[in-house]
């Protein structure tokens, strides 16, 4: 059961099929264009959508809005230092600003940055600095049915290959994303992180985590890796292996806005802070209000509670199992923050050119007012090259939905599966030159 009870509630909208049909047409068959008052269960993202605890709401009243030296900053600094062990804590308004600071200061043109799989904002920030973002995840990550406990692991041979191709001077840092969002929220094992760390030390290359979901990753290590230590100790063991991290606290920070960079290198930290002052804010608030810093510090402590994590990860596993039981094809094993429907197997009658994952995303909304997000050809196809997988991500916000909400989603998926042959494909009528999935418009084929 949920290890919390509910103190404030928010009514969720219920709409008619006619309303949803009209809304979809108006939105150009793109769920990013739907207003949230027409969504019944919103699984678009787990980012910034968490419910805060009573302690976090109380911490908002303790906001110290001093321009410099806010006491909320010192609490955040103490919390992040305790969790990560890193000396310098630089707050930012969200994850991509942390990435912007780090990559702008480390990446030069033609540099290569390996990662298990780059999230789109890390890739964009590296490419913006004319660097090359390289994915080095193990091959199994691309197989939707193979059950591997740590499917987010880095393939060390692929790292060797990048080194051989471009040389040490062209690799300013290695990043490891925990959990690996773009590969399905799959965990990285402590052993693998340790190997990556050794590799980086051997070649004298800085090693950073993209650690948005560090607590969920630590929990997977506890249960799948049979670690006897507590979550905080496992998380600390990960952080000790690296030189720093970027974090979007909108995930495991359990807040609606916030992020940070934490690191040990004094010189690099000074450079990041100089840039922070120019584009974000003074180093003791970094683009946030004092109250946001306080809520973030509180959230970072709460997320390490093993009872919370057992429920969180358990809820996702149960959601995945219920979908499997209904015969619905999903990516396995289920990761930490989302279940991914496999649209190629759900809609085998649709060719990839008709965007099966986008068609399924729209059908889910039409059938039951459920919003997921397409991760397939609309998001990734470029220059005639199509991605391997056509997925619909159903990301579960933290502490927001209960078992019966997710049972409802399973019912909607099952009804849709029973009538899957009637689902029609889509074609694009408008697309922007970059990140087209956010604003594209489509019509039924
Ligand atoms: C998400 F469609 N994730 O999964 P920021 N690293 C990692 C993330 O998962 C991540 C960020 C960095 C989101 C939100 C999102 O095009 C999109 O605080 C592993 O969002 O800046 C964010 O953190 C960036 C969804 C972001 C998107 C960009 O839903």
């Amino acid at each position: 059961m949920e290890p919390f009870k509910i103190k404030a509630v928010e009514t969720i909208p219920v709409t008619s099929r006619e309303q949803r049909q009209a809304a979809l047409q108006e939105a150009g068959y793109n769920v990013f264009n739907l207003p949230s008052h027409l969504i019944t269960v919103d699984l678009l993202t787990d980012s910034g959508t968490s419910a805060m605890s009573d302690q976090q709401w109380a911490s908002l009243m303790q906001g110290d809005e001093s321009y410099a030296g806010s006491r909320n900053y010192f609490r955040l600094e103490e919390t992040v230092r305790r969790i990560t062990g890193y000396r310098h804590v630089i707050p930012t308004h969200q994850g991509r600003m942390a990435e912007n600071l780090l990559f702008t200061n480390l990446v030069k043109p033609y540099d290569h940055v390996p990662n298990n799989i780059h999230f789109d904002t890390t890739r964009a920030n590296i490419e913006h600095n004319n660097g090359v973002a390289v994915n080095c995840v193990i091959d199994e990550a691309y197989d939707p049915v193979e059950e591997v406990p740590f499917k987010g692991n880095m393939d060390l041979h692929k790292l060797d290959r990048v080194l051989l191709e471009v040389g040490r001077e062209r690799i300013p840092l290695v990043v490891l994303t925990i959990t690996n969002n773009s590969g399905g929220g799959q965990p990285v094992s402590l052993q693998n992180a340790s190997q990556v760390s050794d590799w980086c030390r051997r070649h004298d290359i800085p090693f950073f985590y993209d650690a948005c979901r560090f607590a969920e990753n630590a929990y997977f290590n506890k249960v799948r890796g049979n670690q006897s230590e507590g979550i905080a100790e496992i998380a600390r063991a990960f952080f000790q292996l690296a030189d720093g991290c970027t974090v979007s606290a909108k995930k495991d920070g359990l807040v609606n806005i916030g992020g940070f960079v934490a690191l040990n290198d004094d010189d690099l930290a000074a450079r990041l802070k100089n840039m922070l002052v120019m584009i974000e804010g003074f180093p003791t608030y970094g683009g946030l209000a004092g109250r946001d810093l306080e809520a973030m510090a509180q959230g970072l402590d709460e997320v390490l509670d093993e009872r919370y994590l057992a429920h969180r990860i358990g809820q996702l596993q149960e959601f995945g199992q219920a979908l499997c039981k209904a015969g619905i094809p999903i990516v396995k094993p289920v990761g930490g923050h989302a279940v991914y429907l496999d649209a190629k197997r759900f809609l085998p009658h649709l060719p990839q050119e008709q965007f099966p994952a986008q068609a399924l995303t729209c059908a889910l909304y039409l059938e039951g007012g459920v919003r997921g997000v397409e991760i397939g050809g609309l998001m990734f196809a470029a220059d005639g090259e199509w991605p391997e997988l056509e997925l619909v991500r159903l990301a579960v916000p933290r502490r927001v939905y209960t078992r019966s909400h997710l049972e409802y989603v399973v019912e909607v998926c099952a009804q849709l599966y029973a009538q899957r042959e009637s689902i029609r494909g889509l074609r694009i009528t408008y697309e922007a030159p970059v990140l087209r999935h956010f604003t594209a418009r489509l019509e039924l084929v």
Side-chain angles (χ1 to χ4, degrees), residues 140-410:
E140 290 89 332
Y142 297 105
D143 182 336
V145 290
E146 190 165 347
E147 300 230 20
V148 181
F150 293 102
K151 228 174 171 178
N153 280 356
M154 187 89 96
D155 184 335
L156 275 286
H157 297 300
K158 292 185 185 172
L159 271 186
D160 283 335
R161 224 172 296 150
V162 180
L163 183 70
L164 204 65
E165 268 170 33
V166 302
R168 188 245 157 275
E169 297 308 313
R170 284 259 161 265
I171 306 179
L173 78 162
V174 170
V175 184
L176 198 53
T177 305
I178 53 174
T179 56
N180 183 27
N181 185 6
S182 307
Q186 302 290 338
V188 173
S189 72
L190 188 57
Q191 191 195 13
N192 185 251
S194 173
Q195 288 165 343
V196 174
S197 172
D198 287 346
W199 189 93
C200 289
R201 297 259 141 84
R202 209 161 53 242
H203 300 292
D204 195 22
I205 294 172
F207 172 31
F208 277 73
Y209 292 108
D210 177 349
C212 308
R213 299 176 180 87
F214 72 97
E216 292 172 1
N217 195 71
Y219 183 78
F220 275 119
N221 272 269
K222 181 155 182 85
V223 293
R224 291 191 186 161
N226 290 321
Q227 306 270 349
S228 57
E229 295 94 338
I231 301 299
E233 287 73 29
I234 297 171
R236 181 68 180 246
F238 268 89
F239 287 120
Q240 266 170 354
L241 295 168
D243 301 294
C245 62
T246 57
V247 170
S248 164
K250 295 171 75 171
K251 288 78 169 172
D252 275 351
L254 299 175
V255 282
N256 308 116
I257 195 75
F260 60 88
V261 190
L263 73 167
N264 281 330
D265 184 320
D266 298 333
D267 177 55
L268 180 58
R271 283 190 281 146
L272 299 196
K273 282 182 199 171
N274 287 341
M275 195 175 151
L276 187 82
V277 173
M278 200 164 51
I279 60 177
E280 183 82 329
F282 191 74
T284 60
Y285 72 83
L288 292 166
R291 56 179 173 270
D292 297 326
L293 300 171
E294 189 72 18
M296 176 159 49
Q298 176 66 27
L300 288 167
D301 270 336
E302 288 178 12
V303 80
L304 294 169
D305 174 9
E306 197 172 324
R307 277 207 313 153
Y308 156 75
L309 285 167
H311 169 260
R312 162 77 178 157
I313 301 298
Q315 185 183 43
L316 266 293
Q317 305 304 309
E318 195 179 88
F319 183 27
Q321 280 159 12
L323 287 164
C324 286
K325 219 166 138 197
I328 293 156
I330 65 166
V331 173
K332 286 188 187 166
V334 173
H337 65 288
V339 170
Y340 293 70
L341 306 181
D342 185 344
K344 274 192 181 171
R345 283 187 288 147
F346 201 116
L347 302 174
H349 63 285
L350 293 187
Q352 201 167 9
E353 295 71 33
Q354 291 185 18
F355 304 104
Q358 183 67 8
L360 183 54
T361 304
C362 291
L364 265 176
Y365 176 70
L366 182 61
E367 187 65 25
V370 175
R371 176 159 70 170
V373 68
E374 189 255 18
I375 302 194
L378 186 61
M379 191 177 267
F380 290 127
D383 308 323
E385 273 197 48
W386 290 81
E388 190 108 339
L389 299 174
E390 283 285 330
L391 306 176
V392 179
R393 184 180 81 167
L394 303 176
V396 181
R398 293 168 183 78
R399 306 192 292 204
V400 170
Y401 293 118
T402 64
R403 174 178 284 149
S404 58
H405 291 117
L406 297 183
E407 280 169 2
Y408 168 77
V409 176
V410 174

Side-chain angles (χ1 to χ4, degrees), residues 45-47 94-96 99 119-121 177 181 210 212-213 248 250-251 393 437-438:
T45 180
D46 66 319
S47 177
Q94 61 181 77
R96 65 198 74 181
E99 294 156 16
F119 186 65
D120 63 2
T121 56
T177 305
N181 185 6
D210 177 349
C212 308
R213 299 176 180 87
S248 164
K250 295 171 75 171
K251 288 78 169 172
R393 184 180 81 167
H437 57 286
F438 287 125

